Amino acid sequence: MKVSDRTHGVEYAIRDITAYANKYRAQGKEIIYLNIGDPVKFDFKTPDHIKKALIDAVNRDENYYADSEGLPELRKAIVEKESAKGLSITEDDVLVTNGVSEGLDMTLASIVDPHSEVLMPGPYYPPYASYAKFYGGKPVEFRLHEDGRPDLEDLRKKITPRSRALCIISPNNPTGEVFDRKSLQQLIDIATEHDLYVICDEIYDKITFDSQFTGIGKVAKDAPVVLLNGFSKAYLMTGWRCGYICMNSQSRKLDQFREDVPKLARVRIASNLPVQHAAVQALRGPQDHIPVMVEKLRKRRDYVLKRLAGMGIQCRLPRGAFYAFPKIDVKGRWKDDQHFVIDLLNSTGVLTVHGSGFGSAYGSGHFRIVYLAPEDILEKAMDKLESFLHKS
């Protein structure tokens, strides 16, 4: 039977690689999962006050369809959070979504036409490219300097009359890079000059290690900024799927987008109502789990980076999120980085993700490690990786 041609370009390397893991596990062998950024799978648990808010909402029979745009109280709490980070928004500029992924889907569905181009920093989080291609567009990677700053000259070269949007992912998945205020301002200036939407993903905004996080709102002014954020990472609500879209209220260029994107929210009816009640408590309740989480992640990051350096593997220091993106020399031993990752899995049971899954231009020749696991598991994984690399 015929299926849609649109689905052929859909890829998600982070989960696609698990097909190989399932074959390995079917043989009764142990796997060390360093491939998916789900902190709740490890020793980071959803705070009790957030869980209680969900249970209380269910017990109050708050189990019906919510407003398509989202629970008013949650939208108000989101305005409080993002306004404090510098973005100019009102409750009318907020849409609650079933995770950031749905927010990204709605956003790109609203702005991408066939043959339009979406600029994104390489390497990038795979759904940005997949959704762009799904709606007939083309993802275009631009380069980052070795220190993580955007290569503005390379970006300018890649802007064409078909360019529609500029994506910013900070802190970045897969590299952990965090854009500073100067870089954000430069990107906003270029987007404004070329009349581009700015789609900014700040899902890891509370998970930074070595510098103060700067939100896009600090430099947005009247630029057409569409901010994506959610509750999965910092609030440890990954399986609950709750995110949101925020639209810069100062941008008149967003007026048509602001009118049209809620139509998609209405078509899909609503986001999960009990979870939205819990999300209110996530934003307004105790925040003390976050610094504890960040400090644990800092120690795990430092351990993994130290071990990689001891193996002679180059890896830029991640300044946020919980990913490392080491460079690997595949010449002579492996066909490419995907074959390296599969060989590592089959030889050791350590599951990572091939760098080319995050964009072939700047991801190839790398692999991504998620360092969420406790130190003893990371130590076991690093020992296996070291033995594997030293194998003749």
Side-chain angles (χ1 to χ4, degrees):
M1 298 291 290
K2 182 78 169 68
V3 297
S4 167
D5 292 336
R6 290 190 302 273
T7 59
H8 296 329
V10 175
E11 298 173 332
Y12 189 47
I14 299 165
R15 287 185 176 266
D16 290 347
I17 198 70
T18 58
Y20 297 96
N22 291 338
K23 293 178 183 177
Y24 185 88
R25 188 175 56 191
Q27 301 170 28
K29 297 178 180 178
E30 178 191 19
I31 297 176
I32 300 178
Y33 291 93
L34 305 182
N35 65 314
I36 292 180
D38 187 348
V40 189
K41 286 270 191 175
F42 298 95
D43 57 338
F44 302 94
K45 300 307 176 186
T46 313
D48 287 342
H49 68 281
I50 300 176
K51 291 190 283 190
K52 183 177 184 300
L54 175 69
I55 294 167
D56 288 348
V58 172
N59 286 335
R60 289 195 310 269
D61 289 322
E62 303 267 3
N63 302 310
Y64 44 83
Y65 291 136
D67 293 345
S68 294
E69 293 78 9
L71 182 70
E73 188 178 5
L74 177 56
R75 295 166 76 193
K76 184 176 180 180
I78 290 167
V79 168
E80 293 165 2
K81 176 193 174 179
E82 297 301 342
S83 295
K85 288 166 53 187
L87 187 64
S88 177
I89 52 169
T90 68
E91 293 168 49
D92 290 337
D93 300 306
V94 177
L95 284 177
V96 179
T97 59
N98 293 300
V100 173
S101 295
E102 186 183 58
L104 176 61
D105 185 6
M106 288 181 179
T107 299
L108 292 184
S110 300
I111 66 176
V112 173
D113 290 316
H115 311 299
S116 58
E117 296 172 351
V118 180
L119 296 146
M120 53 195 69
Y124 55 76
Y125 181 52
Y128 280 81
S130 291
Y131 281 131
K133 289 188 283 188
F134 185 80
Y135 292 111
K138 176 184 176 184
V140 177
E141 299 175 65
F142 64 89
R143 196 174 77 88
L144 302 181
H145 291 294
E146 283 301 312
D147 62 2
R149 292 178 299 110
D151 185 331
L152 303 179
E153 183 179 349
D154 185 63
L155 173 58
R156 288 184 181 279
K157 286 179 181 176
K158 290 172 176 173
I159 295 174
T160 74
R162 294 183 298 277
S163 299
R164 187 66 57 86
L166 168 63
C167 297
I168 300 171
I169 308 167
S170 180
N172 181 272
N173 176 4
T175 66
E177 189 53 67
V178 181
F179 286 157
D180 60 19
R181 183 173 184 139
K182 182 178 179 180
S183 294
L184 291 172
Q185 183 66 68
Q186 291 169 329
L187 292 170
I188 285 286
D189 290 345
I190 290 174
T192 301
E193 177 186 346
H194 293 277
D195 207 24
L196 303 175
Y197 287 97
V198 177
I199 303 169
C200 188
D201 184 338
E202 294 184 352
I203 186 65
Y204 302 98
D205 58 359
K206 291 185 177 294
I207 306 176
T208 58
F209 308 115
D210 307 300
S211 59
Q212 183 91 17
F213 175 78
T214 301
I216 193 70
K218 293 287 187 182
V219 298
K221 296 182 181 177
D222 63 350
V225 170
V226 178
L227 174 72
L228 304 176
N229 209 331
F231 299 87
S232 292
K233 311 303 183 180
Y235 293 104
L236 303 169
M237 296 164 60
T238 51
W240 298 15
R241 310 312 302 133
C242 191
Y244 53 88
I245 299 170
C246 292
M247 297 162 274
N248 181 9
S249 64
Q250 291 193 40
S251 178
R252 297 280 62 83
K253 292 181 179 180
L254 285 177
D255 285 351
Q256 191 62 56
F257 178 89
R258 191 179 286 105
E259 182 179 334
D260 284 356
V261 73
K263 297 174 184 176
L264 297 177
R266 294 170 200 141
V267 167
R268 65 86 163 99
I269 311 298
S271 293
N272 183 309
L273 180 56
V275 169
Q276 291 188 65
H277 282 287
V280 173
Q281 292 307 309
L283 291 179
R284 292 181 173 166
Q287 308 288 305
D288 50 336
H289 73 281
I290 295 176
V292 174
M293 177 186 187
V294 170
E295 189 54 35
K296 286 169 70 172
L297 289 172
R298 182 198 305 274
K299 291 178 180 177
R300 295 173 191 189
R301 175 201 68 170
D302 292 348
Y303 175 75
V304 167
L305 268 286
K306 180 181 178 181
R307 290 297 306 272
L308 291 173
M311 300 176 211
I313 297 177
Q314 292 180 326
C315 184
R316 199 160 67 217
L317 180 71
R319 296 192 294 142
F322 31 71
Y323 310 104
F325 202 61
K327 192 171 184 179
I328 187 70
D329 183 6
V330 299
K331 294 176 183 175
R333 189 168 168 186
W334 301 282
K335 178 182 176 182
D336 52 31
D337 55 272
Q338 183 171 6
H339 281 80
F340 163 79
V341 164
I342 294 170
D343 191 16
L344 174 64
L345 169 66
N346 290 331
S347 300
T348 69
V350 176
L351 181 61
T352 59
V353 185
H354 50 291
S356 54
F358 300 89
S360 58
Y362 304 108
S364 295
H366 295 76
F367 66 111
R368 193 191 73 167
I369 295 172
V370 176
Y371 51 83
L372 283 165
E375 285 88 339
D376 59 328
I377 296 176
L378 291 175
E379 181 179 11
K380 186 176 181 180
M382 292 300 105
D383 288 346
K384 287 177 175 287
L385 173 62
E386 187 169 13
S387 298
F388 173 73
L389 292 173
H390 291 162
K391 185 173 64 177
S392 60

